[in-house]
Amino acid sequence: MKISLSPKHTTPLHIERGRGWVFRGRGCVFFTAALLFFTFHSSLFIFTSCGAPKGQFQLEGHFLKMNQAEFYVYSPDGVINGIDTIRLAGGRFTYEIPCQESGTLMIVFPNYSEHPVFAESGASVSLSGDASHLKELSAKGTTDNELISGFRQQTADASPDETRQLAQQFIENNPRSAAAVFLFQKYFIMEDTPDVKQGTRLLDMLREAQPKNLNVSRIETLFGMKKASSVGQQLPAFSATDIHGQRISRSNLTGAYAVVSTFSSWNYESQEQQRQLNRIARRSQGRLKLLTISIDATRNDCLRTVRRDTLSQPIVCDGLMFETPLLATLGLQAIPDNVITDKSGKIIAHGLNTDDLKKRLNELLK
């Protein structure tokens, strides 16, 4: 695995390819991009689209009154490897990639919100909307993109409970769509406490409607892992080697409260979460144990952050990034992500943000 930091310079109408971090494989189901830079001079932008040849997928854009901007694109199912950088100059860009198989691209906006785009060979997609209402972007070009656009617009002002209910209805009404698979993953795998009964029923519908879709098989595996690591379950057994060559297993975390979490050298939120966890652990006088899984591509990348922030807990970094087996074993599916276990190893919380994590630990350690 290597990091490529030297972009190819292009004209203002073309994307810069090959910039960012590279990871291998198709196993990534989650990603939180970092280092998003936007210079806004207007809140309105419009994406336009024209045709793409077979074996290619195209997204063209024109940002009104925006002189320069950068944001990132990644794929949770391997349409592209790593992260692509889109650079706008003169307010324009063209994004075109090889695309033999259909899959999902995630466009990451400056407020860390994401918009899915479903890529298909020979297809092009247009997006238009107001930057102050990113959930209400209008997508044109393919059925799946129009479906997900309609769902996002429908749920723009909905409560979390209403949104989950509408997602369930969407999957029931559109089980053959890629958008339904995406929403299942978002609301029944990425959720902290998904409705397992409903999830099982909806997954059966997806499997019946798309029996040859490998993404459906993949989310079926992930859903099983999610159930195994849900609140109330015992932390799954595991064995790993940390960056200092020490073996660590589930037994090392029992007898005290414990937090298993993820971080990387390129994700600020996860780094801040580690700093907060270390402060709490030092004050706990042994009543809190930590284990961190690094998503970095190399051990050296991980070590630089560890030394800078003086992180002292066991940290596992095997260079496999999102494909590290330990993530799958423990049901961790985001960055940052975390589970809290009690003294017996039972999971009592999963997927808390940094503020909620601090609050919960302070309550437990009173």
Side-chain angles (χ1 to χ4, degrees):
M1 307 296 283
K2 62 180 180 179
I3 296 176
S4 172
L5 297 176
S6 299
K8 297 179 182 178
H9 297 285
T10 60
T11 67
L13 288 176
H14 293 277
I15 184 171
E16 294 190 349
R17 296 274 306 175
R19 178 180 172 126
W21 299 272
V22 178
F23 60 87
R24 51 179 175 255
R26 301 172 61 90
C28 170
V29 296
F30 52 108
F31 200 92
T32 305
L35 302 176
L36 309 177
F37 303 100
F38 263 77
T39 302
F40 281 94
H41 297 282
S42 171
S43 63
L44 179 67
F45 63 85
I46 298 174
F47 289 89
T48 58
S49 175
C50 57
K54 185 177 180 180
Q56 297 288 117
F57 174 76
Q58 188 176 78
L59 178 66
E60 295 182 341
H62 175 207
F63 282 65
L64 298 180
K65 298 182 181 179
M66 182 188 298
N67 292 329
Q68 296 181 4
E70 263 187 14
F71 58 92
Y72 289 88
V73 182
Y74 72 92
S75 173
D77 49 21
V79 176
I80 60 174
N81 289 322
I83 304 174
D84 271 346
T85 304
I86 294 179
R87 173 170 289 179
L88 291 85
R92 297 178 180 274
F93 75 87
T94 296
Y95 181 64
E96 186 169 330
I97 57 170
C99 181
Q100 298 297 331
E101 298 181 6
S102 298
T104 307
L105 299 171
M106 298 300 298
I107 301 176
V108 186
F109 292 109
N111 62 355
Y112 294 91
S113 67
E114 301 179 353
H115 185 91
V117 173
F118 301 106
E120 300 176 17
S121 174
S124 58
V125 172
S126 66
L127 301 174
S128 61
D130 190 309
S132 63
H133 298 89
L134 291 173
K135 289 185 177 180
E136 300 177 29
L137 295 180
S138 176
K140 301 293 182 182
T142 67
T143 299
D144 275 307
N145 284 290
E146 291 169 8
L147 282 171
I148 200 66
S149 173
F151 174 82
R152 287 169 61 87
Q153 292 170 5
Q154 183 184 21
T155 58
D157 297 318
S159 70
D161 287 342
E162 291 170 337
T163 300
R164 281 188 287 270
Q165 182 64 33
L166 290 169
Q168 176 182 318
Q169 293 174 6
F170 182 100
I171 296 168
E172 291 171 343
N173 294 334
N174 304 279
R176 295 182 182 276
S177 69
V181 177
F182 173 84
L183 290 178
F184 182 90
Q185 180 171 309
K186 182 175 177 65
Y187 292 104
F188 290 91
I189 295 178
M190 302 300 291
E191 285 278 298
D192 297 341
T193 55
D195 186 328
V196 173
K197 183 178 179 180
Q198 288 293 347
T200 301
R201 181 179 66 84
L202 294 172
L203 185 57
D204 287 342
M205 293 179 64
L206 291 174
R207 192 189 307 110
E208 181 178 354
Q210 304 185 54
K212 297 182 180 180
N213 188 336
L214 294 179
N215 279 334
V216 174
S217 299
R218 179 172 57 82
I219 64 170
E220 183 176 10
T221 299
L222 292 170
F223 187 61
M225 296 174 182
K226 183 71 174 183
K227 290 190 289 186
S229 63
S230 60
V231 173
Q233 300 294 318
Q234 289 293 121
L235 186 72
F238 70 92
S239 179
T241 303
D242 72 10
I243 56 176
H244 301 297
Q246 300 298 311
R247 296 296 294 174
I248 186 166
S249 66
R250 181 174 63 181
S251 63
N252 294 105
L253 302 178
T254 56
Y257 291 108
V259 177
V260 183
S261 58
T262 62
F263 99 114
S264 76
S265 62
W266 37 259
N267 183 275
Y268 174 80
E269 183 181 359
S270 68
Q271 293 173 43
E272 177 60 23
Q273 189 168 109
Q274 292 306 308
R275 288 189 283 267
Q276 296 293 338
L277 284 171
N278 266 262
R279 292 189 187 104
I280 296 171
R282 284 194 292 267
R283 294 197 305 265
S284 75
Q285 298 181 335
R287 293 183 296 149
L288 177 65
K289 298 181 179 181
L290 303 178
L291 170 63
T292 299
I293 305 170
S294 169
I295 314 299
D296 284 309
T298 71
R299 181 174 175 272
N300 285 338
D301 293 333
C302 174
L303 282 171
R304 278 192 290 271
T305 304
V306 169
R307 290 165 181 161
R308 184 196 67 197
D309 294 341
T310 60
L311 304 180
S312 58
Q313 74 271 28
I315 297 175
V316 175
C317 180
D318 59 13
L320 296 178
M321 300 187 79
F322 296 107
E323 292 185 355
T324 180
L326 193 54
L327 291 177
T329 299
L330 300 181
L332 297 171
Q333 303 180 35
I335 179 167
D337 200 358
N338 52 73
V339 294
I340 304 176
T341 60
D342 66 11
K343 296 177 182 180
S344 69
K346 184 172 71 175
I347 297 171
I348 57 176
H350 189 174
L352 302 181
N353 63 41
T354 301
D355 288 340
D356 289 342
L357 182 61
K358 288 169 54 181
K359 181 179 178 180
R360 185 67 182 275
L361 290 175
N362 286 333
E363 290 173 350
L364 293 170
L365 296 170
K366 283 180 179 178

